[in-house]
Amino acid sequence: RYIVHFVCNVTHPLHATARETDAHPKGDRGGNDFLIQPIDGWSDRPIRNLHALWDFGCGAFRSVARPLSPEGNAKIQSLAQSIMKEYPASAFSQLKDANPNNWAKESFKLAKSKVYALEEGAAPPAAYLKSGADISRKRVALAVYRLADLLNKAFK
C-alpha cells in the first residue's frame, strides 16, 4: 500500500514542490495554501486550492461515491481503460529511468512550468483546466506503469 502511495505521489507535481513567495515565505505546502476561486460539482465540497485542483486532475478525476457501487467501479474502470489507451507504456521514454529522485525532479520541473501558471486567487481558466487534465491523465498513466515495473522487478 505504501509503495502505491509513494510512486503515485512522486508523480504528482505538487508533491515535489512548495512554492516560496512573499505571501508564503515558508512555502505554500505544495499548493495547499495557494487559493483559487472555488469549483463546485467535482466532489462533496468545493475545490478551493491548487493542490486539490490537481488531486482532481483539473477535472479529469471526479469524485466517485463511497462505498463503491458497481456503477462507480465501472466508471473508474472505464476511465482507467481510456487513459491506458490514450497513453500506452510505449509512449514513455521515462520508463527506463527507475530512479525516484529523477521522478521527483521531473514533477518539480512540471510544477514550475505548468502547474503554477495560474494567478493565485483566480478562477482557473478553461484552457488551464484542459491542459491540466491532459497532464494529469498522462502523469497517472506514467505512475501506473512505473508502479507495475517496480512490482514486477520486486516479485521476480
Side-chain angles (χ1 to χ4, degrees), residues 39-100:
I39 298 174
D40 292 312
W42 292 5
S43 73
D44 57 348
R45 59 182 181 230
I47 307 303
R48 298 182 184 276
N49 66 58
L50 191 64
H51 192 102
L53 179 69
W54 281 81
D55 279 347
F56 280 88
C58 291
F61 314 127
R62 304 290 173 100
S63 186
V64 177
R66 301 289 197 261
L68 202 54
S69 67
E71 294 81 16
N73 186 47
K75 184 177 178 180
I76 292 169
Q77 293 298 321
S78 176
L79 178 61
Q81 292 301 319
S82 170
I83 290 171
M84 289 172 63
K85 185 177 180 183
E86 185 178 0
Y87 298 107
S90 61
F92 296 101
S93 61
Q94 302 101 307
L95 289 178
K96 295 174 183 157
D97 184 356
N99 184 336

Side-chain angles (χ1 to χ4, degrees), residues 12-143:
H12 185 306
L14 288 167
H15 283 263
T17 190
R19 193 186 90 186
E20 295 178 9
T21 62
D22 290 340
H24 305 289
K26 294 183 180 182
D28 68 0
R29 298 181 315 120
N32 282 292
D33 293 335
F34 185 111
L35 301 180
I36 61 170
Q37 291 297 309
I39 298 174
D40 292 312
W42 292 5
S43 73
D44 57 348
R45 59 182 181 230
I47 307 303
R48 298 182 184 276
N49 66 58
L50 191 64
H51 192 102
L53 179 69
W54 281 81
D55 279 347
F56 280 88
C58 291
F61 314 127
R62 304 290 173 100
S63 186
V64 177
R66 301 289 197 261
L68 202 54
S69 67
E71 294 81 16
N73 186 47
K75 184 177 178 180
I76 292 169
Q77 293 298 321
S78 176
L79 178 61
Q81 292 301 319
S82 170
I83 290 171
M84 289 172 63
K85 185 177 180 183
E86 185 178 0
Y87 298 107
S90 61
F92 296 101
S93 61
Q94 302 101 307
L95 289 178
K96 295 174 183 157
D97 184 356
N99 184 336
N101 287 324
N102 292 338
W103 303 350
K105 289 175 186 175
E106 176 187 283
S107 292
F108 175 74
K109 182 178 176 183
L110 187 58
K112 283 179 59 175
S113 66
K114 301 290 184 183
V115 176
Y116 281 106
L118 179 65
E119 181 183 340
E120 194 165 357
Y128 179 90
L129 293 175
K130 167 79 171 87
S131 174
D134 292 343
I135 290 167
S136 294
R137 290 171 61 93
K138 187 174 185 177
R139 299 299 289 173
V140 163
L142 181 57

